[in-house]
Amino acid sequence: MGKRGTANLQSSINATDGLGTVSLSAIYAALVVSCIFLPTLIIRKLTAKWTLVFSMLCYAPYIAFQLFPRFYTLVPAGILVGLGAAPMWASKATYLTQVGQVYAKITEQAVDAIIVRFFGFFFLAWQTAELWGNLISSLVLSSGAHGGGSSSNSVNNTITAEDLQFCGANFCVHRVNGHSNLERPPEHEIFEISMIYLSCILAAVAIIAIFLDPLKRYGEKRKGSQSAQELSGMQLLSATFRQMKKPNQQLLIPITVFIGMEQAFIGADFTQAYVSCALGIHQIGFVMICFGVVNAVCSILFGSVMKYIGRTPIIVLGAVVHFTLISVELFWRPSPDNPIIFYAMSGLWGVGDAVWQTQINGLYGLLFRRNKEAAFSNYRLWESAGFVIAYAYATTLCARMKLYILLAVLTLGCMGYVIVEILYRRKQRKVKRQEKDEFDKKEKEKEAEANKTGIDSNVNGLPVSVEETDDELDDLEEDIIVTHF
C-alpha cells in the first residue's frame, strides 16, 4: 500500500530535475537483476517467512527518504526496493502454494482449486492497496493548505489559463517551473503521509514476524534446497536467454514492453501532466483509486468471460481502448472545470491494463507450458524493461512525444500478437490434420489386418479382437489445450 501510494506521487512531489521518475527507474532496473539472481538464493538461506520480513523492510528507506529527497538518497533507496521486490514476490508465491497444498490435503480438496483460491484472496487484498494508499495521500493533501480544503488560496482559484496551456500533451518537465499546481506540498503533509505509510509497513512486518507460521514443519528446507539445486540463479538466467530464441517469445516482446510502459505512463506521466497540472497534486490519489478499482473488477471479469468468448475479442478490446485513449490525450486540453473526464480516462486505462495483465500472462502460460519459469522470467524482464525505458525518458521528452512512442510500441506489439495468434491457430489445424491422418491410417491398417487374418480368425468361430493403441497420439492429445476464440 505504502509503496504504490508513494510511487503514484513521485513524478509530482519530486518533480525537480525529474528526481521522482529517476528513482522509479532505479527501482525497476534493480528489479530486472533481482528477478534473475536473488529469489532462489535468499529464500534458500532465510526461508519463505523471513524472506518476506527482510524484503518488506527494504521498502521502508524509500518511504522515509521522501522527507529528504535527494538523488543520493532516493536513488539508492529505490535500488534497494527493486532488489527486495523479487524475493518478496517469490516468497509470497512459495508460501501460498505450500500452505495451499497442506490445506488441500487436510480438507481432502483439489490442490489446484485451493491454490487458485488462496492466490485469489491475496490479489484481492493486493489490488485494494491502490485504493487505500491513494486514499490516504489524497485525504492528507486535500485537508491541508496545499489542497485548498480550508485555505483561501485554493489551488483551483489560482490556476491560470497560461498554466493550463502547458498541461496535457503540451506538458514538458523543463517548461513548468513556477506552475502553481506542481509545487511540492508542505513538508508537514509529506511527513504525515510518510509516517502513515511507514507505520503500515512496520505493522505488516511485525504481524508476519510474530504471527505467521514458519513452513519448517512441512519440510520447507528440504524442498527449498531441492528446488534451489534444480534451478539456480545462473540456470534461470541461461534458461531465460534460451527462451528468447523462440520465435513466439520474440514476437511477444513488444507487447510485453508496452505493458510496462503503459503502467509507467499512467502512474507517472498522466498523474503529472494531466491530473497534477490541471487539478492539483491532492487529486492524484482520488483519480488513481478509480484506475485501481476498475482494474481489479475487470481483471476478475475478463478471467471469467474468456472461457465463453475467447482471448482474441478481449485483446481487441484492450487495443481499441488504449489506441482511443492515447489518441484522445494527444488533443485533449485538461481543465479543472471537467473533473469527471479525468476519472473516466483513469478508469478506461484500468480496463486496458486489465486486458493486458490477464490475457498476455495467460498467453505466455499457454504457449510455453513446458518452460513456465523461463517464460515468466522473460515476461517480468521485458515488462520491467518497459518501466525502465518509460522512466528513463520521462524527464527529457514532452508528453506528446511519449504518447507517440506508446502508440508506436502498441502498434508493433499488436502486430506481433496477431502473428503469434496466426501461427498458433495454424499449428492447431496442423495438429488436427495429423491426428485425422493418423487415425485414418490406423483404421486402414486395422481393416487390412482384419481382411488378411479373417479366414484364420474364423477357424474356431471366434473373431480376433484388434486393440487400437496409440501412445504418441495420447501424448499429443494431452499436450494440447483447447481454447475458444
Side-chain angles (χ1 to χ4, degrees):
M1 178 179 73
K3 186 264 181 182
R4 298 184 75 177
T6 303
N8 289 335
L9 292 172
Q10 284 308 295
S11 62
S12 297
I13 66 174
N14 294 317
T16 305
D17 297 324
L19 172 59
T21 51
V22 170
S23 69
L24 292 174
S25 181
I27 290 175
Y28 288 97
L31 183 60
V32 171
V33 178
S34 179
C35 282
I36 298 173
F37 295 105
L38 294 185
T40 300
L41 176 65
I42 294 180
I43 293 174
R44 180 172 53 179
K45 297 295 183 181
L46 300 181
T47 72
K49 172 181 175 176
W50 294 108
T51 298
L52 277 173
V53 172
F54 169 79
S55 300
M56 291 176 69
L57 286 174
C58 292
Y59 287 73
Y62 186 76
I63 295 175
F65 280 131
Q66 300 301 317
L67 302 173
F68 190 70
R70 301 290 187 275
F71 278 96
Y72 57 82
T73 58
L74 283 186
V75 172
I79 293 174
L80 183 62
V81 170
L83 293 177
M88 183 187 70
W89 282 92
S91 59
K92 174 270 303 177
T94 300
Y95 195 95
L96 287 176
T97 301
Q98 200 153 341
V99 169
Q101 291 172 345
V102 174
Y103 183 80
K105 185 175 181 180
I106 293 174
T107 59
E108 297 182 350
Q109 298 184 55
V111 175
D112 291 348
I114 294 298
I115 291 177
V116 169
R117 187 188 305 173
F118 277 28
F119 274 92
F121 286 136
F122 169 80
F123 279 106
L124 177 63
W126 181 74
Q127 289 287 3
T128 62
E130 190 78 50
L131 190 158
W132 300 116
N134 288 310
L135 184 62
I136 289 171
S137 65
S138 286
L139 289 176
V140 172
L141 294 174
S142 296
S143 63
H146 186 80
S150 60
S151 173
S152 59
N153 298 324
S154 175
V155 171
N156 288 340
N157 290 335
T158 60
I159 188 72
T160 64
E162 183 179 356
D163 288 336
L164 284 176
Q165 71 177 348
F166 293 110
C167 297
N170 295 327
F171 184 88
C172 299
V173 174
H174 56 274
R175 291 202 315 225
V176 293
N177 291 332
H179 193 293
S180 58
N181 273 5
L182 296 175
E183 296 176 359
R184 181 177 167 86
E187 292 302 318
H188 72 273
E189 294 181 7
I190 301 295
F191 176 82
E192 187 175 349
I193 294 172
S194 298
M195 288 301 102
I196 293 174
Y197 288 162
L198 271 177
S199 299
C200 292
I201 287 181
L202 295 177
V205 169
I207 290 172
I208 291 174
I210 297 172
F211 298 107
L212 188 69
D213 290 333
L215 296 177
K216 292 180 181 179
R217 68 181 67 178
Y218 307 119
E220 178 188 25
K221 286 188 176 182
R222 173 172 47 82
K223 292 182 180 180
S225 299
Q226 184 178 358
S227 67
Q229 292 172 2
E230 288 176 355
L231 198 64
S232 66
M234 290 305 298
Q235 288 173 322
L236 180 57
L237 177 63
S238 176
T240 299
F241 281 104
R242 286 199 304 271
Q243 176 73 15
M244 292 182 196
K245 297 179 180 179
K246 299 180 179 180
N248 281 337
Q249 176 63 70
Q250 295 170 358
L251 290 167
L252 288 176
I253 287 176
I255 196 64
T256 310
V257 171
F258 173 79
I259 294 173
M261 294 178 70
E262 58 91 3
Q263 291 180 76
F265 181 87
I266 189 69
D269 297 307
F270 181 77
T271 54
Q272 183 183 30
Y274 292 85
V275 182
S276 293
C277 190
L279 296 182
I281 294 175
H282 63 292
Q283 290 291 329
I284 290 177
F286 294 130
V287 173
M288 292 304 292
I289 285 172
C290 186
F291 168 81
V293 171
V294 174
N295 198 331
V297 172
C298 288
S299 295
I300 298 172
L301 178 64
F302 294 150
S304 303
V305 169
M306 179 189 164
K307 61 183 179 181
Y308 299 108
I309 65 175
R311 176 178 59 251
T312 303
I314 298 176
I315 289 185
V316 170
L317 172 64
V320 170
V321 167
H322 265 137
F323 270 117
T324 303
L325 284 175
I326 295 171
S327 301
V328 169
E329 288 175 4
L330 280 169
F331 302 100
W332 173 48
R333 292 293 183 88
S335 170
D337 297 330
N338 299 298
I340 192 66
I341 299 179
F342 295 86
Y343 292 92
M345 288 280 191
S346 179
L348 287 172
W349 202 281
V351 174
D353 183 63
V355 169
W356 305 124
Q357 295 280 15
T358 57
Q359 302 308 310
I360 301 303
N361 267 288
L363 187 59
Y364 267 78
L366 175 67
L367 294 175
F368 311 115
R369 295 188 301 279
R370 299 186 183 279
N371 301 281
K372 284 187 175 67
E373 287 183 302
F376 285 110
S377 177
N378 263 270
Y379 178 87
R380 294 302 172 195
L381 174 66
W382 293 110
E383 183 190 38
S384 298
F387 276 102
V388 173
I389 293 169
Y391 289 139
Y393 62 59
T395 59
T396 56
L397 298 181
C398 296
R400 186 177 303 278
M401 183 56 65
K402 296 174 186 176
L403 290 168
Y404 284 134
I405 293 174
L406 277 179
L407 275 178
V409 178
L410 177 57
T411 302
L412 190 61
C414 288
M415 292 171 60
Y417 163 73
V418 169
I419 296 174
V420 168
E421 198 70 70
I422 292 173
L423 292 176
Y424 179 73
R425 293 189 184 192
R426 185 180 298 172
K427 180 180 179 181
Q428 277 193 316
R429 289 194 295 268
K430 181 179 179 181
V431 169
K432 288 180 180 179
R433 284 197 303 268
Q434 289 176 344
E435 288 179 333
K436 186 177 183 301
D437 293 342
E438 193 71 23
F439 179 78
D440 292 342
K441 181 180 178 181
K442 284 289 182 181
E443 285 295 315
K444 291 179 180 179
E445 291 177 354
K446 178 181 177 182
E447 184 179 351
E449 186 70 20
N451 293 334
K452 180 180 179 181
T453 60
I455 298 175
D456 296 334
S457 301
N458 291 319
V459 170
N460 296 324
L462 295 173
V464 175
S465 175
V466 180
E467 182 181 0
E468 182 183 1
T469 61
D470 188 357
D471 294 337
E472 183 179 356
L473 185 58
D474 291 341
D475 293 339
L476 188 62
E477 183 69 23
E478 181 181 351
D479 188 50
I480 296 171
I481 294 180
V482 179
T483 57
H484 302 279
F485 297 96

